[in-house]
Amino acid sequence: MPLSIGLGVVAALRRDRLLDHAISTLTLIALSLPEFVWGTLLILLFAYRFRVFPPSSMVDPQASLASQAARFVLPVLTLILALLAQMTRMTRASMIDALRQPFTEAARLRGLRPRRVVAHALRNALLPTVGIVALNVGFLLGGIVIVETIFSYPGLGRLLVDSVNHRDVPMLQMATLLVASAYGLANLGADIVYAYLDPRIRY
């Protein structure tokens, strides 16, 4: 999320320039390829070609998380590439719209520093992005079955699929409850952030 917001703000501030076109092109490429393609390409490149990271994310429950951090680099990078484009493009569009608003012009006329003006506009531009982040939280918990399968990671998405295949109804109910709870809590958090960013909708 910080990376996508940063890229979106930079693209909005450099609108129709080389940097904006470069960011838009790269995010469009990232959005065009599904996560299983990115995962396969990253495994071929960094696990088999250069042998930097292991191809599997199967963890040892007895080992510490720090000792197995390298196993999570490729799947995390795959998910970043799969989700980065949507949030970046939304932030860019919202930031361009916020920079055109009268309150941004008023902040400039009051003599605020450019960084303060950008921060003032960003607070209003983040509203649509927060909604996307809330949806992505639920997706990251239960909707990344393909990524978990590629990297052999025993996650919640694979648990859902295995429960359906084995007709394990109690396990399926529990996994579904966890995913639904994650979506509910993420949307509740988004509403709280909305109220913080926009005082007009505070209850």
Side-chain angles (χ1 to χ4, degrees), residues 28-83:
L28 186 60
I29 293 173
L31 185 63
S32 301
L33 297 177
E35 54 265 24
F36 70 86
V37 175
W38 281 120
T40 305
L41 290 175
L42 291 175
I43 289 175
L44 292 175
L45 184 62
F46 293 105
Y48 292 106
R49 184 73 175 91
F50 297 109
R51 300 183 183 275
V52 180
F53 301 109
S56 173
S57 296
M58 184 64 70
V59 295
D60 182 8
Q62 305 299 326
S64 65
L65 184 62
S67 64
Q68 304 182 86
R71 295 182 177 272
F72 299 105
V73 173
L74 293 183
V76 167
L77 186 57
T78 301
L79 294 173
I80 287 175
L81 291 171
L83 300 176

Side-chain angles (χ1 to χ4, degrees), residues 9-134:
V9 171
V10 170
L13 295 177
R14 300 290 186 270
R15 184 185 178 191
D16 295 331
R17 297 181 184 177
L18 180 60
L19 188 57
D20 179 28
H21 293 310
I23 293 174
S24 298
T25 302
L26 292 176
T27 54
L28 186 60
I29 293 173
L31 185 63
S32 301
L33 297 177
E35 54 265 24
F36 70 86
V37 175
W38 281 120
T40 305
L41 290 175
L42 291 175
I43 289 175
L44 292 175
L45 184 62
F46 293 105
Y48 292 106
R49 184 73 175 91
F50 297 109
R51 300 183 183 275
V52 180
F53 301 109
S56 173
S57 296
M58 184 64 70
V59 295
D60 182 8
Q62 305 299 326
S64 65
L65 184 62
S67 64
Q68 304 182 86
R71 295 182 177 272
F72 299 105
V73 173
L74 293 183
V76 167
L77 186 57
T78 301
L79 294 173
I80 287 175
L81 291 171
L83 300 176
L84 180 70
Q86 187 181 17
M87 288 188 287
T88 300
R89 296 174 74 85
M90 178 62 73
T91 304
R92 176 188 178 277
S94 301
M95 192 67 184
I96 289 175
D97 183 66
L99 291 172
R100 293 174 175 173
Q101 297 300 318
F103 60 82
T104 305
E105 187 64 28
R108 292 194 185 99
L109 293 175
R110 287 201 304 267
L112 294 180
R113 294 180 179 179
R115 290 184 180 180
R116 293 288 302 275
V117 175
V118 171
H120 187 61
L122 179 61
R123 180 168 180 169
N124 293 273
L126 283 179
L127 290 173
T129 307
V130 169
I132 296 178
V133 171

